[in-house]
Amino acid sequence: EVSGATSLSQIQNDFNSALKDDTVSSILFDIDSPGGEASGIEEFAEQIYNARGKKPMVSYVGNMACSAAYWIASATDKIISGKTATLGSIGCVAMIKDTEERDAKEGIKNIKFISSNSPNKRPDVNTDEGKSLVQEQIDAIGDIFIETMARNRTTEERSLSFKDIVNDFNKGGVLIG
């Protein structure tokens, strides 16, 4: 929001107001975003999906609706896109910054203590086991994303499965309008 974007909480407030306002006959989401944090997106998209049938809801994408932004768009009744719009990027990414080498050069030593009964609380991503634990978490969120896309984009004309989303929606890549 501080850099000119619209915050998720503002979109939720506007959406709820539009749903309750009897003078609003339909809702248009004008989406232009590469996505971002997944925090709260699933819940908001679910709120939109559950409001289907109350008022017509359409997402318009003139430029970009990727990742978390596409998750929101997918929940509306219909998506309309410009011919050159970029849509998709269905999947999840996690990045862990490893500053140990830099810190060591600067004389900084990080010492971690993790409770014995919770060794997976902070997996060591420098080990195969630690990488595997993080990958499992990312895959679990990614699976939820893909399962939700299959449900959200299923229409009377075409039923979509998890496999369809993976194969037909460019395996996490993007598609053009």
PDB file of all heavy atoms in Angstrom, residues 20-40:
ATOM      1  N   LYS A  20     -22.569  -5.872   0.203  1.00  0.00           N
ATOM      2  CA  LYS A  20     -23.674  -5.443   1.059  1.00  0.00           C
ATOM      3  C   LYS A  20     -24.499  -4.307   0.449  1.00  0.00           C
ATOM      4  O   LYS A  20     -25.647  -4.106   0.828  1.00  0.00           O
ATOM      5  CB  LYS A  20     -23.130  -4.986   2.420  1.00  0.00           C
ATOM      6  CG  LYS A  20     -22.536  -6.117   3.236  1.00  0.00           C
ATOM      7  CD  LYS A  20     -21.882  -5.588   4.494  1.00  0.00           C
ATOM      8  CE  LYS A  20     -21.112  -6.683   5.215  1.00  0.00           C
ATOM      9  NZ  LYS A  20     -20.293  -6.159   6.302  1.00  0.00           N
ATOM     10  N   ASP A  21     -23.910  -3.570  -0.493  1.00  0.00           N
ATOM     11  CA  ASP A  21     -24.554  -2.382  -1.061  1.00  0.00           C
ATOM     12  C   ASP A  21     -25.573  -2.787  -2.128  1.00  0.00           C
ATOM     13  O   ASP A  21     -25.217  -3.325  -3.181  1.00  0.00           O
ATOM     14  CB  ASP A  21     -23.478  -1.477  -1.667  1.00  0.00           C
ATOM     15  CG  ASP A  21     -24.010  -0.140  -2.109  1.00  0.00           C
ATOM     16  OD1 ASP A  21     -25.225  -0.010  -2.386  1.00  0.00           O
ATOM     17  OD2 ASP A  21     -23.192   0.798  -2.189  1.00  0.00           O
ATOM     18  N   ASP A  22     -26.842  -2.507  -1.874  1.00  0.00           N
ATOM     19  CA  ASP A  22     -27.910  -2.878  -2.803  1.00  0.00           C
ATOM     20  C   ASP A  22     -27.849  -2.101  -4.115  1.00  0.00           C
ATOM     21  O   ASP A  22     -28.454  -2.507  -5.108  1.00  0.00           O
ATOM     22  CB  ASP A  22     -29.280  -2.666  -2.149  1.00  0.00           C
ATOM     23  CG  ASP A  22     -29.521  -3.644  -1.013  1.00  0.00           C
ATOM     24  OD1 ASP A  22     -28.913  -4.739  -1.022  1.00  0.00           O
ATOM     25  OD2 ASP A  22     -30.312  -3.317  -0.107  1.00  0.00           O
ATOM     26  N   THR A  23     -27.134  -0.977  -4.135  1.00  0.00           N
ATOM     27  CA  THR A  23     -27.021  -0.200  -5.376  1.00  0.00           C
ATOM     28  C   THR A  23     -25.930  -0.755  -6.292  1.00  0.00           C
ATOM     29  O   THR A  23     -25.830  -0.351  -7.438  1.00  0.00           O
ATOM     30  CB  THR A  23     -26.733   1.290  -5.076  1.00  0.00           C
ATOM     31  OG1 THR A  23     -25.449   1.407  -4.461  1.00  0.00           O
ATOM     32  CG2 THR A  23     -27.825   1.896  -4.191  1.00  0.00           C
ATOM     33  N   VAL A  24     -25.125  -1.689  -5.787  1.00  0.00           N
ATOM     34  CA  VAL A  24     -24.080  -2.328  -6.593  1.00  0.00           C
ATOM     35  C   VAL A  24     -24.656  -3.610  -7.175  1.00  0.00           C
ATOM     36  O   VAL A  24     -25.053  -4.517  -6.441  1.00  0.00           O
ATOM     37  CB  VAL A  24     -22.821  -2.641  -5.738  1.00  0.00           C
ATOM     38  CG1 VAL A  24     -21.804  -3.423  -6.550  1.00  0.00           C
ATOM     39  CG2 VAL A  24     -22.212  -1.358  -5.190  1.00  0.00           C
ATOM     40  N   SER A  25     -24.724  -3.670  -8.510  1.00  0.00           N
ATOM     41  CA  SER A  25     -25.343  -4.838  -9.147  1.00  0.00           C
ATOM     42  C   SER A  25     -24.328  -5.910  -9.533  1.00  0.00           C
ATOM     43  O   SER A  25     -24.688  -7.079  -9.696  1.00  0.00           O
ATOM     44  CB  SER A  25     -26.141  -4.410 -10.378  1.00  0.00           C
ATOM     45  OG  SER A  25     -25.281  -3.774 -11.305  1.00  0.00           O
ATOM     46  N   SER A  26     -23.069  -5.532  -9.712  1.00  0.00           N
ATOM     47  CA  SER A  26     -22.018  -6.500 -10.037  1.00  0.00           C
ATOM     48  C   SER A  26     -20.681  -5.956  -9.554  1.00  0.00           C
ATOM     49  O   SER A  26     -20.551  -4.766  -9.254  1.00  0.00           O
ATOM     50  CB  SER A  26     -21.985  -6.783 -11.539  1.00  0.00           C
ATOM     51  OG  SER A  26     -21.710  -5.601 -12.254  1.00  0.00           O
ATOM     52  N   ILE A  27     -19.697  -6.848  -9.491  1.00  0.00           N
ATOM     53  CA  ILE A  27     -18.385  -6.459  -8.965  1.00  0.00           C
ATOM     54  C   ILE A  27     -17.326  -6.790 -10.005  1.00  0.00           C
ATOM     55  O   ILE A  27     -17.269  -7.906 -10.517  1.00  0.00           O
ATOM     56  CB  ILE A  27     -18.089  -7.194  -7.641  1.00  0.00           C
ATOM     57  CG1 ILE A  27     -19.143  -6.826  -6.588  1.00  0.00           C
ATOM     58  CG2 ILE A  27     -16.673  -6.884  -7.149  1.00  0.00           C
ATOM     59  CD1 ILE A  27     -19.082  -7.646  -5.315  1.00  0.00           C
ATOM     60  N   LEU A  28     -16.493  -5.785 -10.302  1.00  0.00           N
ATOM     61  CA  LEU A  28     -15.390  -5.952 -11.235  1.00  0.00           C
ATOM     62  C   LEU A  28     -14.071  -5.802 -10.477  1.00  0.00           C
ATOM     63  O   LEU A  28     -13.853  -4.789  -9.801  1.00  0.00           O
ATOM     64  CB  LEU A  28     -15.455  -4.902 -12.350  1.00  0.00           C
ATOM     65  CG  LEU A  28     -14.262  -4.879 -13.309  1.00  0.00           C
ATOM     66  CD1 LEU A  28     -14.255  -6.125 -14.173  1.00  0.00           C
ATOM     67  CD2 LEU A  28     -14.296  -3.620 -14.159  1.00  0.00           C
ATOM     68  N   PHE A  29     -13.224  -6.801 -10.565  1.00  0.00           N
ATOM     69  CA  PHE A  29     -11.871  -6.718 -10.024  1.00  0.00           C
ATOM     70  C   PHE A  29     -10.958  -6.357 -11.183  1.00  0.00           C
ATOM     71  O   PHE A  29     -10.843  -7.108 -12.149  1.00  0.00           O
ATOM     72  CB  PHE A  29     -11.424  -8.070  -9.443  1.00  0.00           C
ATOM     73  CG  PHE A  29     -12.098  -8.452  -8.164  1.00  0.00           C
ATOM     74  CD1 PHE A  29     -13.333  -9.071  -8.168  1.00  0.00           C
ATOM     75  CD2 PHE A  29     -11.477  -8.215  -6.949  1.00  0.00           C
ATOM     76  CE1 PHE A  29     -13.954  -9.439  -6.992  1.00  0.00           C
ATOM     77  CE2 PHE A  29     -12.092  -8.575  -5.758  1.00  0.00           C
ATOM     78  CZ  PHE A  29     -13.331  -9.187  -5.782  1.00  0.00           C
ATOM     79  N   ASP A  30     -10.310  -5.199 -11.118  1.00  0.00           N
ATOM     80  CA  ASP A  30      -9.345  -4.770 -12.132  1.00  0.00           C
ATOM     81  C   ASP A  30      -7.977  -5.157 -11.590  1.00  0.00           C
ATOM     82  O   ASP A  30      -7.408  -4.454 -10.748  1.00  0.00           O
ATOM     83  CB  ASP A  30      -9.460  -3.268 -12.350  1.00  0.00           C
ATOM     84  CG  ASP A  30      -8.559  -2.766 -13.462  1.00  0.00           C
ATOM     85  OD1 ASP A  30      -7.860  -3.588 -14.096  1.00  0.00           O
ATOM     86  OD2 ASP A  30      -8.541  -1.548 -13.692  1.00  0.00           O
ATOM     87  N   ILE A  31      -7.450  -6.270 -12.066  1.00  0.00           N
ATOM     88  CA  ILE A  31      -6.242  -6.850 -11.477  1.00  0.00           C
ATOM     89  C   ILE A  31      -5.026  -6.558 -12.335  1.00  0.00           C
ATOM     90  O   ILE A  31      -5.036  -6.771 -13.553  1.00  0.00           O
ATOM     91  CB  ILE A  31      -6.415  -8.373 -11.276  1.00  0.00           C
ATOM     92  CG1 ILE A  31      -7.558  -8.622 -10.289  1.00  0.00           C
ATOM     93  CG2 ILE A  31      -5.118  -9.014 -10.798  1.00  0.00           C
ATOM     94  CD1 ILE A  31      -7.893 -10.064 -10.045  1.00  0.00           C
ATOM     95  N   ASP A  32      -3.983  -6.078 -11.687  1.00  0.00           N
ATOM     96  CA  ASP A  32      -2.689  -5.852 -12.333  1.00  0.00           C
ATOM     97  C   ASP A  32      -1.616  -6.059 -11.280  1.00  0.00           C
ATOM     98  O   ASP A  32      -1.229  -5.128 -10.578  1.00  0.00           O
ATOM     99  CB  ASP A  32      -2.608  -4.448 -12.917  1.00  0.00           C
ATOM    100  CG  ASP A  32      -1.306  -4.218 -13.677  1.00  0.00           C
ATOM    101  OD1 ASP A  32      -0.540  -5.192 -13.878  1.00  0.00           O
ATOM    102  OD2 ASP A  32      -1.045  -3.070 -14.077  1.00  0.00           O
ATOM    103  N   SER A  33      -1.163  -7.296 -11.153  1.00  0.00           N
ATOM    104  CA  SER A  33      -0.200  -7.615 -10.101  1.00  0.00           C
ATOM    105  C   SER A  33       0.588  -8.873 -10.452  1.00  0.00           C
ATOM    106  O   SER A  33       0.026  -9.834 -10.979  1.00  0.00           O
ATOM    107  CB  SER A  33      -0.935  -7.831  -8.775  1.00  0.00           C
ATOM    108  OG  SER A  33      -0.044  -8.300  -7.783  1.00  0.00           O
ATOM    109  N   PRO A  34       1.882  -8.879 -10.093  1.00  0.00           N
ATOM    110  CA  PRO A  34       2.682 -10.099 -10.263  1.00  0.00           C
ATOM    111  C   PRO A  34       2.445 -11.103  -9.137  1.00  0.00           C
ATOM    112  O   PRO A  34       2.986 -12.197  -9.155  1.00  0.00           O
ATOM    113  CB  PRO A  34       4.123  -9.573 -10.227  1.00  0.00           C
ATOM    114  CG  PRO A  34       4.042  -8.371  -9.347  1.00  0.00           C
ATOM    115  CD  PRO A  34       2.696  -7.749  -9.638  1.00  0.00           C
ATOM    116  N   GLY A  35       1.631 -10.721  -8.156  1.00  0.00           N
ATOM    117  CA  GLY A  35       1.366 -11.615  -7.018  1.00  0.00           C
ATOM    118  C   GLY A  35       2.097 -11.107  -5.795  1.00  0.00           C
ATOM    119  O   GLY A  35       2.250  -9.912  -5.600  1.00  0.00           O
ATOM    120  N   GLY A  36       2.529 -12.019  -4.983  1.00  0.00           N
ATOM    121  CA  GLY A  36       3.233 -11.626  -3.765  1.00  0.00           C
ATOM    122  C   GLY A  36       2.987 -12.609  -2.651  1.00  0.00           C
ATOM    123  O   GLY A  36       2.782 -13.791  -2.894  1.00  0.00           O
ATOM    124  N   GLU A  37       2.978 -12.101  -1.450  1.00  0.00           N
ATOM    125  CA  GLU A  37       2.794 -12.927  -0.254  1.00  0.00           C
ATOM    126  C   GLU A  37       1.504 -13.740  -0.326  1.00  0.00           C
ATOM    127  O   GLU A  37       0.465 -13.233  -0.720  1.00  0.00           O
ATOM    128  CB  GLU A  37       2.708 -12.046   0.992  1.00  0.00           C
ATOM    129  CG  GLU A  37       4.023 -11.446   1.404  1.00  0.00           C
ATOM    130  CD  GLU A  37       4.906 -12.411   2.148  1.00  0.00           C
ATOM    131  OE1 GLU A  37       4.389 -13.304   2.848  1.00  0.00           O
ATOM    132  OE2 GLU A  37       6.121 -12.285   2.018  1.00  0.00           O
ATOM    133  N   ALA A  38       1.585 -14.978   0.102  1.00  0.00           N
ATOM    134  CA  ALA A  38       0.400 -15.833   0.125  1.00  0.00           C
ATOM    135  C   ALA A  38      -0.449 -15.598   1.373  1.00  0.00           C
ATOM    136  O   ALA A  38      -1.590 -16.022   1.427  1.00  0.00           O
ATOM    137  CB  ALA A  38       0.822 -17.301   0.045  1.00  0.00           C
ATOM    138  N   SER A  39       0.094 -14.905   2.319  1.00  0.00           N
ATOM    139  CA  SER A  39      -0.600 -14.694   3.587  1.00  0.00           C
ATOM    140  C   SER A  39      -1.940 -14.000   3.378  1.00  0.00           C
ATOM    141  O   SER A  39      -2.000 -12.870   2.903  1.00  0.00           O
ATOM    142  CB  SER A  39       0.289 -13.853   4.518  1.00  0.00           C
ATOM    143  OG  SER A  39      -0.350 -13.620   5.735  1.00  0.00           O
ATOM    144  N   GLY A  40      -3.024 -14.699   3.705  1.00  0.00           N
ATOM    145  CA  GLY A  40      -4.354 -14.140   3.602  1.00  0.00           C
ATOM    146  C   GLY A  40      -5.019 -14.315   2.247  1.00  0.00           C
ATOM    147  O   GLY A  40      -6.228 -14.111   2.115  1.00  0.00           O
TER     148      GLY A  40
END
